[in-house]
Amino acid sequence: MPLLLSIAIFGLALSAQAQTARTLTVEDSAGRVIADAGVRDAGGKVLARSDAMGHVSFACDAPCTVRVEAAGFAAKNVQADAETVVQLAPADNAEQVTVTAYRTPMGELESPVTTRVLTQNALQSTAAITADGQIRQLPGVELFRRSSSLVANPSSQGISLRALGSTSASRTLMTLDDVPLNDPVGAWIHWLEQPQLAIANIELLRGGASDLYGSSAIGGVVNVHLAEPAAHVFTLRSSYGGLGTYADDAMGQATHDAWGVLAAGGATGTDGYIQEAPWQRGPVDTVSNVHAQNGMLLAEHKRGELRLFVRGSGFNEARANGTPYQTNGTRLWRYATGGDWQSANGATAALRLYGSTEHYRQTFSSISNLPDFGDASCTYRCGETPTRFAWIADNELGGAAHWSKPLTAGWILLAGADTHDVRVWDDEQSFGSAAALTDTSVHQRDSGAYVETLYTHRAWTVTAGARMDWFQNYDVRQLVEQNNTWTPGATLPQFTQHVFDPRVGVSRKLGEHWALSASGFRAFRAPSPSELYRATQVGNQLTLANGALKSERATGWETGVASQRAWGTVRASYFLTEINRPISAVTINPNSSPILLQRENLGQITSRGIAIDSEIAPRKWLTIDGGYQYAHATVTQGQQDLNKWIPEVARNMASLNLRAEKARWGSLSLQSRLSGRQFDDDANTYLLHGYFKLDAYAAHAFGRRVEAFAAGESLLDRTIEVAKTPTTTLGMRRTVRAGFTLTLGAAK
């Protein structure tokens, strides 16, 4: 753990320089603590942010005047003594403000689309230790399969929103500060990549947003926001529990004049468990697990209206996928730089330049029922035969720029452009009688430009935007080495396309507390290099590539009603999305080992339904949030799988989360999730029954620097079916862990 040790030394060194310590407790007018409130000095630099108990510690020279601010509350300037209680009043017509949907701040009642924000407090007071588990507390959010990223094969980690499902790739785009996080090769998500303590919040937009973000934003966008460097703070968070599950994270921050530095990193993993159901296991079945490490370094410089930054991160993980031979590993380096500018008249501009380098390896095998492992009596899942080894390298480069300016009162114009370039080299060694080494390379580039306008007049808000994309899939080459001789491989298709994606929306306030809204969009997703040119395997299912795949094209709309009052927000929506040429894994040989599937473009899939979201605070110490989604998602056109359910999509999903916080006693949160039945395959042969899951998290602070916590997942210890491939695999049973958080503050 050299990274954690280095960060710990860094934080302790900063602590040694402490001047006069100040502690604020931030509350609302009812005495309810406010988490994630920011404290800025006279120069505007962020000194620190409040924790789950509303406490925020920093240091400054006397006299110490700071500005305390929090979303939904009016900012307040206070004279900070050694210990001070600060009460913030609600801002006039306070609303949740989001930026992902339109790249400019917009309130809940003004926005024509559905957005949700998970604050740092909501993320860290969730029993799950992975980002995918944390965002599942929102209704309608699911991975390609139900399993946690702690034990899931990477090709099962695509995210699904609006009941659109996914294959190994996501129909939802994930970004970090305008930088895409979907894997360049397979478009799945590396859920353990980001240091947990460095995440300020996660903003989720449901519905197509290709007009701003280009390819993959069909189901929506998940945007991760990083914490801003604060003045000399070091945080260490560690926990350990059942199945050898652990999460160790550390973060050190420092500011000096206009400079700020944030260093964060950690290690997450589990010894895992055997996913195959006990009644279907054989000698070949072993534990599925992961051991991952991440790290990030951010440096920024603020001067007046301009912020410049540079950021680098690294990620490494090794996975065991349930048999002795099936494993995979990822090593990923990312870097980004850019700047943000905001003028006094409200004009803004942003520039991002980024890149990544990744190495990925994976092994494949077929499961045999022949006697093996020295057991002549074995008749089921007795052993395995290696079939393929893949080693993949990719380079990613990209840039994005956008600008906005108020033209008149209530009228904003926004424009931007971006490009995303990916080069992939895939070397795969097959075994057996037809052993060969196949070398495939491909180059993909998506470039686009967009314009958007937002107009607000009295109770009306109207938005309109459009984007033109130029997508290229080219320089595709394949060589095959067999018997020490290299020969040209198959001629693989290449293509170029131009895509136009508009989006419009309108919102109408009804008085101070109600609003009606409607929006419509077009969106697209280009096939990933993995879908086009390489096979993937989960369990005993092998999905073959298809170089003739075409891009998915989606059309959708939603309409809804929202209400916001002092006690919270409720929003109900009706949505409909149609995807033409959806890419799906179609079964072509159910009797082979492994079972063979082929990626194909179906005719059309349609998802329609209702969604209800709520965030309310009925008592000053209690917050309740959750929602419900009903979705009728089927194949509606084409000759294959007509009228079948979209695989891995449940018609009924609901979540309910309760958080109780009192400074004297600590905090307690419960997360519950209900999911109806769904099918694991395109032919709707393998039924996965519904499930209910209950998690809990409790924490208590010992002074201002130490907090102890305990968390439990699947407290009811119920069986959750994850997949049938065709053997049944199960989700994690009851898992309990305990840990602590240590926070040290130092001089500015």
Side-chain angles (χ1 to χ4, degrees):
M1 305 289 289
L3 175 62
L4 287 179
L5 180 60
S6 299
I7 297 176
I9 295 173
F10 170 78
L12 292 174
L14 294 174
S15 180
Q17 303 173 7
Q19 297 178 1
T20 305
R22 316 281 176 169
T23 299
L24 304 181
T25 301
V26 187
E27 301 176 347
D28 63 15
S29 55
R32 186 168 44 205
V33 299
I34 301 175
D36 202 34
V39 177
R40 297 181 183 269
D41 65 11
K45 295 194 299 291
V46 177
L47 300 178
R49 306 194 76 86
S50 61
D51 59 20
M53 304 307 299
H55 301 316
V56 54
S57 298
F58 55 94
C60 66
D61 298 323
C64 182
T65 301
V66 295
R67 184 175 179 82
V68 184
E69 53 190 25
F73 294 88
K76 186 175 185 179
N77 294 322
V78 299
Q79 183 83 27
D81 297 322
E83 294 191 8
T84 305
V85 176
V86 180
Q87 288 194 334
L88 299 183
D92 293 337
N93 300 320
E95 295 186 63
Q96 173 182 286
V97 176
T98 60
V99 297
T100 299
Y102 294 99
R103 294 194 188 274
T104 190
M106 181 170 287
E108 178 73 23
L109 295 185
E110 281 82 19
S111 177
V113 297
T114 303
T115 56
R116 290 290 301 272
V117 177
L118 288 173
T119 65
Q120 188 177 67
N121 182 40
L123 294 170
Q124 295 187 3
S125 62
T126 302
I129 63 174
T130 62
D132 60 295
Q134 292 164 353
I135 69 170
R136 274 172 160 148
Q137 63 186 286
L138 298 178
V141 178
E142 188 57 275
L143 299 195
F144 171 44
R145 284 196 166 94
R146 293 168 167 176
S147 54
S148 164
S149 61
L150 286 174
V151 293
N153 190 295
S155 59
S156 295
Q157 295 185 40
I159 185 174
S160 171
L161 294 178
R162 284 295 192 232
L164 295 176
S166 66
T167 55
S168 58
S170 291
R171 291 193 173 107
T172 296
L173 179 67
M174 191 166 185
T175 65
L176 172 69
D177 190 28
D178 284 342
V179 175
L181 294 180
N182 295 51
D183 185 85
V185 178
W188 51 72
I189 309 296
H190 300 288
W191 292 104
L192 305 180
E193 180 185 352
Q194 306 305 320
Q196 287 284 307
L197 293 177
I199 298 177
N201 62 69
I202 296 179
E203 193 172 327
L204 184 143
L205 160 68
R206 297 193 185 100
S210 286
D211 62 304
L212 292 180
Y213 296 91
S215 178
S216 298
I218 288 180
V221 178
V222 178
N223 195 5
V224 180
H225 297 275
L226 292 177
E228 296 183 34
H232 302 83
V233 178
F234 172 74
T235 306
L236 174 66
R237 184 178 175 91
S238 179
S239 66
Y240 184 82
L243 302 179
T245 303
Y246 61 91
D248 300 314
D249 296 280
M251 180 171 68
Q253 306 172 72
T255 59
H256 179 71
D257 294 332
W259 292 91
V261 177
L262 183 151
T268 304
T270 179
D271 292 337
Y273 66 100
I274 299 177
Q275 293 193 78
E276 275 68 28
W279 58 89
Q280 292 184 326
R281 291 176 188 168
V284 73
D285 295 313
T286 59
V287 296
S288 297
N289 60 38
V290 66
H291 297 280
Q293 305 82 39
N294 57 46
M296 175 186 295
L297 179 63
L298 166 68
E300 67 177 25
H301 182 272
K302 291 182 177 180
R303 185 67 68 182
E305 301 171 341
L306 180 65
R307 169 186 176 262
L308 301 175
F309 77 93
V310 61
R311 182 177 69 242
S313 64
F315 171 64
N316 179 73
E317 73 170 12
R319 291 181 177 271
N321 293 321
T323 69
Y325 187 73
Q326 292 183 17
T327 64
N328 71 267
T330 303
R331 184 160 294 175
L332 174 63
W333 300 94
R334 294 189 191 270
Y335 47 91
T337 187
D340 299 286
W341 171 80
Q342 182 169 6
S343 71
N345 64 6
T348 67
L351 174 68
R352 300 289 183 268
L353 301 173
Y354 61 88
S356 72
T357 299
E358 179 184 28
H359 293 93
Y360 177 80
R361 59 170 176 80
Q362 187 167 9
T363 54
F364 302 85
S365 67
S366 63
I367 308 302
S368 171
N369 290 332
L370 298 176
D372 202 347
F373 294 92
D375 185 358
S377 64
C378 179
T379 59
Y380 185 69
R381 297 182 65 81
C382 302
E384 65 179 335
T385 302
T387 57
R388 187 161 48 98
F389 171 79
W391 187 89
I392 305 168
D394 68 78
N395 287 333
E396 177 185 33
L397 291 173
H402 53 87
W403 161 90
S404 68
K405 179 178 176 59
L407 301 180
T408 64
W411 185 15
I412 299 176
L413 180 66
L414 184 146
D418 54 61
T419 185
H420 183 214
D421 186 278
V422 175
R423 297 173 184 262
V424 178
W425 298 268
D426 179 13
D427 292 330
E428 304 208 8
Q429 175 68 60
S430 59
F431 304 110
S433 57
L437 175 62
T438 303
D439 182 359
T440 306
S441 61
V442 59
H443 192 173
Q444 286 192 345
R445 180 180 297 153
D446 182 21
S447 301
Y450 56 88
V451 64
E452 178 182 69
T453 183
L454 296 88
Y455 181 71
T456 301
H457 179 68
R458 296 181 180 176
W460 292 90
T461 299
V462 179
T463 67
R467 175 186 173 106
M468 177 62 74
D469 274 276
W470 179 29
F471 181 82
Q472 301 169 275
N473 187 88
Y474 63 108
D475 283 349
V476 185
R477 301 174 185 175
Q478 187 175 87
L479 295 174
V480 178
E481 188 272 334
Q482 198 168 24
N483 299 322
N484 297 318
T485 301
W486 286 95
T487 58
T491 301
L492 301 177
Q494 308 183 61
F495 60 93
T496 298
Q497 64 179 150
H498 296 83
V499 184
F500 178 71
D501 289 314
R503 181 169 57 150
V504 296
V506 60
S507 177
R508 173 66 160 86
K509 276 191 172 182
L510 304 176
E512 292 294 322
H513 303 294
W514 292 87
L516 299 175
S517 63
S519 64
F521 67 88
R522 294 212 69 191
F524 88 106
R525 185 183 75 85
S528 69
S530 181
E531 290 173 310
L532 288 167
Y533 306 121
R534 63 180 302 271
T536 59
Q537 182 173 343
V538 176
N540 202 39
Q541 284 186 338
L542 177 63
T543 303
L544 302 178
N546 183 351
L549 292 174
K550 300 181 184 300
S551 294
E552 300 178 338
R553 297 291 282 123
T555 302
W557 59 273
E558 73 169 83
T559 183
V561 57
S563 177
Q564 186 166 53
R565 297 178 181 272
W567 44 261
T569 303
V570 178
R571 186 181 186 107
S573 303
Y574 175 85
F575 62 88
L576 183 147
T577 303
E578 294 178 340
I579 302 180
N580 293 313
R581 306 192 305 252
I583 299 172
S584 181
V586 177
T587 304
I588 58 177
N589 189 347
N591 300 315
S592 61
S593 181
I595 296 171
L596 288 182
L597 297 88
Q598 173 86 46
R599 296 188 185 96
E600 299 283 357
N601 286 112
L602 301 180
Q604 184 187 80
I605 61 176
T606 301
S607 174
R608 58 167 60 89
I610 58 172
I612 301 173
D613 290 271
S614 65
E615 298 175 87
I616 61 175
R619 296 287 186 273
K620 66 180 183 179
W621 49 268
L622 177 64
T623 302
I624 303 173
D625 69 85
Y628 168 75
Q629 175 180 283
Y630 170 80
H632 186 273
T634 59
V635 180
T636 50
Q637 289 185 18
Q639 298 180 347
Q640 294 176 311
D641 299 333
L642 187 62
N643 297 322
K644 300 294 186 181
W645 287 29
I646 299 176
E648 309 299 339
V649 172
R651 291 199 169 169
N652 293 281
M653 297 182 69
S655 66
L656 181 64
N657 312 296
L658 291 81
R659 289 183 176 83
E661 297 178 335
K662 280 198 172 183
R664 181 179 179 183
W665 301 106
S667 63
L668 172 67
S669 66
L670 301 175
Q671 304 95 48
S672 60
R673 180 176 178 84
L674 176 70
S675 181
R677 66 190 185 103
Q678 63 191 49
F679 291 97
D680 192 44
D681 63 322
D682 65 296
N684 291 182
T685 302
Y686 301 119
L687 175 67
L688 302 176
H689 295 88
Y691 71 90
F692 176 77
K693 187 172 183 282
L694 177 65
D695 302 339
Y697 176 95
H700 181 76
F702 296 89
R704 297 189 303 270
R705 301 189 182 277
V706 179
E707 180 184 71
F709 63 87
E713 296 187 66
S714 297
L715 294 180
L716 302 181
D717 206 27
R718 293 183 174 178
T719 298
I720 300 176
E721 296 175 331
V722 168
K724 293 186 177 179
T725 59
T727 57
T728 302
T729 58
L730 305 178
M732 295 181 71
R733 302 298 292 264
R734 182 190 297 126
T735 307
V736 179
R737 62 188 176 93
F740 68 92
T741 302
L742 171 67
T743 303
L744 302 175
K748 67 176 181 178

